[in-house]
Amino acid sequence: MSYPGPDLDPSKTRRRRPRARTVALAALVPGALVGWLVYQAVGAPGGPDGAAEPSSSTAGAPAPTGSAPTAASTTAAGDDAKKPGGATAGPADGPLRGKVVVVDPGHNPDNFQHTAEINRKVDIGTNWKECDTTGTSTDDGYAEARFTLDVARRLRTLLEEQGATVRFTQDGDRPWGPCVDERARIGNEAHADAAISIHADGAPVGDRGFHVILPASVHSGAADTRPILTASTDLGERIAGTFVRVTGSAPANYVGDGTGLVTREDLGGLNLSTVPKVFIECGNMRDSKDAALLTSSGWRQKAARGISEGIVSFLHGS
């Protein structure tokens, strides 16, 4: 998600100083971090880079960070992004019965066709930013918007199996957007017990790993995150811990000082939320090693499970 747009100020995403939550995360997931080191030592199935299978995307011209994906990159034959997102029978009886989770798949596959609409400025409390952006892509054209929808649909299946009611901000059923303020409003109006926005980053080559973005303390205009700070931090720390353990991925080596946690005050989706909410950048699409993971359907299933287990832990309060 590293591109100029509604949810990024590039100058604010690099090398944050560790905060008190570093200790909390260290206490939460020491076993997971050890597990990652073992994973790196022995190698993941499919090769030393941890790619379970070859890229599922079709070949395409390299796209610069933040460029609009091509139409081919969003409708490639054999793309399995929609497989987990078929009609569901609704939440099952389970431990999360009565809980509502709002899942926000970042961007939209067709945003690049609606530049006027997505460039419209919206109020995020601290300032005004573009409604939405196109997102990034891998060098061979696998779009972030395709990735986020695929992981979101897999996540929905897992949460519904636990009995949760899952609502999306968009499910590939809108021509563009929605805007970042509407994405927050959907979670608020659903009175979500937890909300998560799913992304993949567009950082320089060599920058690897995931990070979870927590809301900063913001009280300006329509934004007031103070009531959700504690719960959102708890949610984010749990997701970071389970994501490490399930996927074998390391916390980002370029933000968060190795904690996998970053606090931001420039994201409309967090600033305007009145329910516990975090973002997750699952990896860097511009790095070939991370891209090999992100384009693997097997790894995306692990990513969804890592996120799901963190949400379940949060909602269980244990």
Side-chain angles (χ1 to χ4, degrees):
M1 197 178 67
S2 286
Y3 45 82
D7 281 346
L8 180 80
D9 177 349
S11 66
K12 295 181 181 178
T13 63
R14 297 290 183 263
R15 311 292 181 193
R16 302 261 178 173
R17 288 185 179 274
R19 304 196 179 189
R21 66 175 181 278
T22 303
V23 176
L25 181 61
L28 181 67
V29 294
L33 291 172
V34 170
W36 173 75
L37 293 173
V38 172
Y39 178 94
Q40 292 293 92
V42 301
D49 293 337
E53 63 186 66
S55 170
S56 64
S57 63
T58 57
T65 300
S67 66
T70 63
S73 74
T74 60
T75 56
D79 177 24
D80 63 356
K82 294 186 178 181
K83 289 182 180 178
T88 59
D93 287 324
L96 298 187
R97 185 77 177 183
K99 300 293 186 180
V100 176
V101 179
V102 168
V103 177
D104 176 31
H107 313 289
N108 184 309
D110 293 325
N111 272 355
F112 73 101
Q113 296 179 327
H114 298 272
T115 55
E117 292 90 342
I118 67 172
N119 285 333
R120 177 175 62 85
K121 297 293 183 68
V122 298
D123 185 1
I124 67 165
T126 53
N127 61 300
W128 291 71
K129 298 184 76 170
E130 289 80 1
C131 156
D132 203 4
T133 61
T134 59
T136 187
S137 67
T138 63
D139 285 344
D140 63 0
Y142 182 65
E144 180 186 359
R146 267 178 55 193
F147 170 83
T148 65
L149 272 173
D150 182 72
V151 174
R153 288 164 174 161
R154 295 171 187 271
L155 175 60
R156 174 172 57 195
T157 298
L158 293 169
L159 291 172
E160 287 183 343
E161 288 173 351
Q162 294 286 315
T165 296
V166 180
R167 299 183 182 176
F168 275 24
T169 58
Q170 60 93 10
D171 196 4
D173 52 355
R174 300 176 61 133
W176 55 273
C179 296
V180 294
D181 56 341
E182 184 182 353
R183 290 173 187 265
R185 187 164 59 250
I186 289 169
N188 298 344
E189 292 177 351
H191 303 288
D193 297 285
I196 185 163
S197 186
I198 299 172
H199 289 267
D201 215 350
V205 174
D207 289 351
R208 294 196 61 194
F210 78 93
H211 62 280
V212 177
I213 304 174
L214 311 174
S217 181
V218 172
H219 184 210
S220 178
D224 186 0
T225 62
R226 294 173 298 176
I228 66 166
L229 287 180
T230 299
S232 295
T233 298
D234 184 23
L235 173 64
E237 288 176 349
R238 290 174 187 268
I239 290 174
T242 55
F243 199 85
V244 166
R245 177 173 54 78
V246 175
T247 67
S249 292
N253 63 5
Y254 60 101
V255 289
D257 298 293
T259 67
L261 299 171
V262 175
T263 298
R264 298 261 302 265
E265 61 183 14
D266 62 320
L267 304 182
L270 296 182
N271 286 2
L272 300 175
S273 183
T274 60
V275 300
K277 184 174 182 179
V278 298
F279 279 43
I280 184 168
E281 299 279 4
C282 296
N284 178 18
M285 300 197 99
R286 309 304 297 170
D287 179 85
S288 61
K289 293 181 179 180
D290 267 11
L293 301 176
L294 298 167
T295 54
S296 161
S297 62
W299 188 89
R300 292 196 299 273
Q301 184 65 25
K302 290 181 180 179
R305 187 159 64 87
I307 296 168
S308 171
E309 291 187 7
I311 293 173
V312 171
S313 173
F314 170 75
L315 294 178
H316 279 166
S318 60

